[in-house]
DNA sequence: TTCTGCTCTGCTCATATGAGCGACGCTGCG
DNA sequence: CGCAGCGTCGCTCATATGAGCAGAGCAGAA
């Protein structure tokens, strides 16, 4: 049975060839294969994770006024969804980045996933857009930059500094450090930026873990709904809490807005409002998401996602 | 593509039916399915783990003088091999146990695996053959007994006592405890016992972790090669170190030998000599193993396993 | 515009495949 | 010993399938 299954399914032989190879009748081969499937020796799985859904993507791009959107199928735990979205973002960069670009990378679990799935890239300069948060080396923005630069062969410009400081004074001092300043200067020359979308309401952002209870309370009252690269945005797309930005080592709103191409990656339906807010704020030109999030965004304002999608291949 | 793959592979429709269902030509269906396989949407795996190898089993039974042997394919890490062997032992019990039997269970990682794969059983009384070792509740003999009894609906006779004590006196005292004594009395009425084989040279037995350095040294010098239910056996099949048995809460050699049916489960080629020793000692009548161990046992004394096996289905 | 190359589609025809059937061999029973 | 019951095997024939081909649509170049 196992040998028959190997021949037929792995080596793609016909049942007649398999029969000849094993010295049995083709009928017996058919019965062996049938048995092998029943016994679980042969398992056939149809897994659409990572498959793009162009219809939803087009509808999403139109809805949010983006130049492009990528929507992929993803199921299972949040971590798996992030992994698929990250892989899709990696593939998008791989097929669109051109040699000589200056690529800015923010940070988040989705972008960590992206860095793990990154295909070989043309030679680009990679710049870290934000300081670090937390102590997990594997998930740090420095590591994301390192991995992506490794795939490209271009220069890497990391920022060895915390993302959030206790007061603006310390942040200013850090910004004047030679290495940090060098990275910040490159923010004006970015051709492509990649950011992760964090949601503040419902709360789903790693930035939240770094804030004091008072900070959170104040921001909540200020109407913060979403976050990219530590830039806080309200439901209407306005940037709030600029005094918070002064405490952050991160790209500024204006610098990010001036970047010609901003790819936002977001995973999970609970980020629907956050994604909408970011798009309204003009803080992304392209979006990579999973199906559930895309559908949630489209249905937020009464757009029926079923209309957008027809005849998934 | 995904829908075509679902229809064809999951629902077992023909390509023509699939074509009709999707409203496309059968040729397009063929091309979609081809693409789906190339893109990894459809994965076909041939996994022979757990498939029995009757030729080897017969050779092994003849070689060791057993009434029956079961040999299954198993690959990968030790834990996976143990899991497959455990599942095979569970299936064997499921198809051979009769109502009213008294089933004794020893303990080990393979038997823990067995207890997780146990099919529904006829009503039997389950008795724990040894005390407990270590503190992992999930892997304790009590848990094995509990799980198996649950599948059978019969009574469970656990032993809440350590397997190894520091001195014979304490062990004797424990054996006089009402609950313990009740279990020990049932050892004389066992109809089937299931034991795991531990190897002492090379060292691969959980019992080893419970012994002092002096104990090990003494036993090594006494020529201990194998162990079942804390019974220590030399290469020639003789039981050694009976004074150790006095410190153990466990079934005795004579009681075990009198049991009509003793199923031994063993996983991993490094237990070849141990298995041979146990069989020589008359401490098993049936054996459940993986292919690698079976081949190792057969080739120990120059028997070529390739001769035994011919034409695996 | 027209041409050219490219991809995608569905066709024909030879071949592979599955459903259903009768023959064979094995096992247990009278 | 003969026979019924059961499972397995390979056959026939209708049908499904794949290889290769030709036409349609489409994008880019002249």
């Amino acid at each position: 049975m196992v040998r028959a299954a190997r021949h037929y399914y792995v080596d793609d032989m016909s049942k007649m060839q398999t029969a000849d190879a094993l010295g049995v009748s083709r009928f017996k081969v058919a019965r062996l294969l049938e048995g092998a499937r029943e016994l679980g020796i042969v398992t056939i799985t149809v897994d659409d994770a990572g498959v793009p859904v162009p219809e939803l993507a087009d509808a999403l791009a139109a809805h949010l006024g983006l130049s492009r959107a990528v929507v992929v199928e993803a199921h299972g735990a949040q971590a798996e969804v992030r992994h698929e979205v990250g892989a899709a973002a990696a593939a998008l960069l791989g097929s669109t980045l051109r040699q000589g670009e200056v690529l800015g990378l923010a940070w988040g679990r989705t972008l960590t996933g992206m860095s793990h799935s990154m295909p070989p890239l043309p030679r680009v300069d990679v710049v870290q857009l934000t300081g670090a948060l937390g102590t997990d080396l594997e998930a740090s923005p420095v590591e994301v930059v390192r991995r992506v630069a490794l795939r490209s062969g271009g220069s890497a410009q990391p920022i060895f500094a915390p993302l959030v400081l206790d007061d603006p004074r310390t942040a200013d001092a850090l910004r004047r450090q030679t290495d940090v300043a060098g990275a910040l200067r490159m923010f004006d020359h970015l051709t492509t930026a990649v950011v992760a979308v964090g949601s503040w309401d419902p709360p789903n952002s790693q930035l939240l873990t770094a804030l004091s209870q008072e900070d959170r309370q104040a921001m909540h009252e200020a109407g913060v709904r979403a976050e990219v690269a530590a830039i806080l945005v309200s439901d209407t797309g306005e940037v709030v809490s600029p005094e918070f930005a002064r405490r952050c080592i991160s790209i500024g709103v204006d610098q990010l807005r001036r970047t010609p191409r901003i790819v936002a990656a977001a995973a999970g339906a609970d980020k629907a409002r956050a994604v909408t807010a970011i798009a309204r704020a003009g803080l992304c030109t392209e979006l990579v998401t999973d199906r559930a999030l895309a559908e949630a965004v489209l249905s937020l304002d009464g757009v029926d996602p079923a209309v957008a999608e027809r005849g998934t291949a």
Side-chain angles (χ1 to χ4, degrees), chain A:
Chain A
M1 263 189 191
V2 173
R3 286 204 299 212
R6 289 244 162 78
H7 278 122
Y8 186 76
Y9 287 112
V10 181
D11 304 336
D12 262 327
M13 290 166 66
S14 75
K15 293 187 184 176
M16 293 189 111
Q17 286 175 303
T18 307
D20 286 346
L22 299 183
V24 297
S25 80
R26 65 188 184 87
F27 306 98
K28 188 165 176 68
V29 168
R31 285 171 188 135
L32 284 174
L33 292 175
E34 213 172 315
R37 279 222 272 176
E38 271 172 24
L39 289 175
I41 294 171
V42 169
T43 325
I44 302 182
T45 50
V46 178
D47 180 11
D48 59 4
V51 173
V53 189
E55 298 82 5
L56 264 179
D58 294 346
L60 192 62
H63 181 66
L64 296 177
L66 307 174
S67 64
R68 165 158 31 195
V70 174
V71 178
V72 295
E73 293 282 353
H75 313 284
Q78 272 207 329
E80 289 171 62
V81 176
R82 275 197 289 265
H83 179 264
E84 291 298 341
V85 170
L92 175 64
L93 288 185
S95 64
T96 54
L97 277 182
R98 297 288 161 243
Q99 187 166 2
E101 289 207 41
V102 180
L103 174 66
L105 296 180
W107 158 84
R109 289 157 297 188
T110 309
L111 299 194
T112 301
M114 179 186 81
S115 72
H116 280 93
S117 305
M118 194 58 69
L121 294 178
R123 181 172 287 265
V124 298
D125 295 320
V126 184
V127 190
Q128 187 172 326
L129 295 184
T130 74
L133 201 61
T135 55
D136 184 352
L137 279 178
E138 267 306 300
S140 82
V142 176
E143 180 65 14
V144 172
V145 164
R146 192 187 70 82
R147 283 186 171 278
V148 174
L150 214 67
R151 293 311 247 157
S152 135
S155 74
Q157 186 68 258
I159 298 178
F160 293 100
L163 171 54
V164 186
L165 285 306
D166 282 340
D167 68 305
R169 204 177 296 267
T170 319
D172 280 338
L174 260 173
R175 272 190 276 266
R176 283 192 298 270
Q177 293 286 317
T178 313
D179 292 346
V180 177
L184 299 187
R185 265 196 300 278
M186 294 188 70
F187 290 173
D188 288 324
H189 306 105
L190 295 173
T191 61
T192 299
V194 183
V195 297
V197 178
S199 170
W200 285 55
D201 184 19
N204 183 358
S205 167
Q206 290 201 278
L207 183 53
L208 282 165
T209 62
L211 300 179
S212 68
Q213 192 56 46
E214 297 85 58
D215 278 339
R216 291 198 208 185
Q217 183 65 26
M219 289 167 185
H220 183 76
E221 280 164 13
V224 173
R225 170 75 74 179
E227 168 262 334
V228 284
I231 298 166
L232 307 176
V233 177
S234 76
D235 246 343
T236 54
E238 277 161 82
V239 174
V240 292
S241 198
E243 65 275 14
F244 174 67
R246 301 224 307 282
R247 286 168 46 201
C248 293
I249 306 293
S250 181
I251 188 170
V253 190
D254 298 332
Q255 284 174 311
L256 185 56
R257 280 217 181 101
R258 276 199 300 272
T259 304
R261 183 179 179 216
I262 311 169
V263 179
D270 60 350
K271 289 188 176 169
R273 290 199 174 275
V275 164
T276 308
I278 296 301
R280 283 209 182 110
L283 289 174
C284 85
T285 65
E286 304 182 18
L287 182 61
V288 182
T289 65
D290 60 284
R291 171 196 275 270
L293 175 49
E295 289 177 346
V297 169
L298 288 176
S299 62
L300 264 188
D301 303 320
V303 177
D304 183 358
V307 174
E309 188 203 354
R310 206 167 304 157
T312 313

